[in-house]
Structure formats: C-alpha cells, structure tokens
C-alpha cells in the first residue's frame, strides 16, 4: 500500500502508512527500507541514513539498503 501511495505522489500518506506499519512491526526491514527511500526522496538524508543503518543491523545482507546507504553517505561527504 505504501508503495502505491508513493508512486502516486502521496508522500505524506505513504509515510504515515509506513510509520503505522513500524508501530506494529518495529523490526521489519522492508518497512524501514521503504521509509528510508521515501526520506531520500524528500531530501531528508539524515533520517534515511538512520533507517538504513537500522535495516542493516536487522539484515546485514540487505543489498538495497547497503547500496542506498553508500550513495547517501557519499552525498553527505560532498556537501
């Protein structure tokens, strides 16, 4: 559901949906990754990085999280 909201441009609604999902499943790496991607989209890189680090604590082999974290850390280094 959050993906559909995100793709339709309803970013606030997607964020709300992900936050509610995380209230129910605090350690769901997919919810955390999707929220991190949404934060990246709205240029809140610090929150994105925090979520991505949490994803990698839960699932160290989460390739998408590792790649996005590297991208965001590189961006932060050049700012």
């Amino acid at each position: 559901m959050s993906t559909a909201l995100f793709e339709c441009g309803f970013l606030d609604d997607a964020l709300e949906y992900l936050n509610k999902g995380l209230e129910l499943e605090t350690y769901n790496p997919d919810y955390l990754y999707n929220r991190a991607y949404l934060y990246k989209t709205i240029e809140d890189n610090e929150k994105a990085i925090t979520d991505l680090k949490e994803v990698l604590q839960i699932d160290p082999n989460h390739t998408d999280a590792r790649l996005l974290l590297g991208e965001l850390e590189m961006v932060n280094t050049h700012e």
Side-chain angles (χ1 to χ4, degrees):
M1 177 65 124
S2 65
T3 303
L5 291 168
F6 178 84
E7 288 174 355
C8 290
F10 299 109
L11 302 182
D12 290 336
D13 294 329
L15 182 58
E16 184 178 333
Y17 188 85
L18 288 166
N19 286 335
K20 286 182 181 180
L22 284 164
E23 286 176 17
L24 299 172
E25 297 181 52
T26 306
Y27 300 108
N28 184 315
D30 294 325
Y31 288 165
L32 284 165
Y33 175 80
N34 288 340
R35 187 172 70 176
Y37 194 88
L38 191 149
Y39 282 141
K40 174 195 174 276
T41 301
I42 61 173
E43 298 181 0
D44 194 340
N45 290 349
E46 293 304 316
K47 286 183 181 178
I49 288 170
T50 298
D51 277 357
L52 291 167
K53 286 180 178 179
E54 192 167 343
V55 169
L56 292 171
Q57 286 180 346
I58 297 164
D59 179 3
N61 297 315
H62 196 292
T63 304
D64 290 336
R66 195 167 292 286
L67 291 171
L68 186 57
L69 180 60
E71 176 186 329
L72 291 172
E73 286 180 335
M74 203 163 40
V75 167
N76 279 356
T77 303
H78 292 92
E79 288 183 349

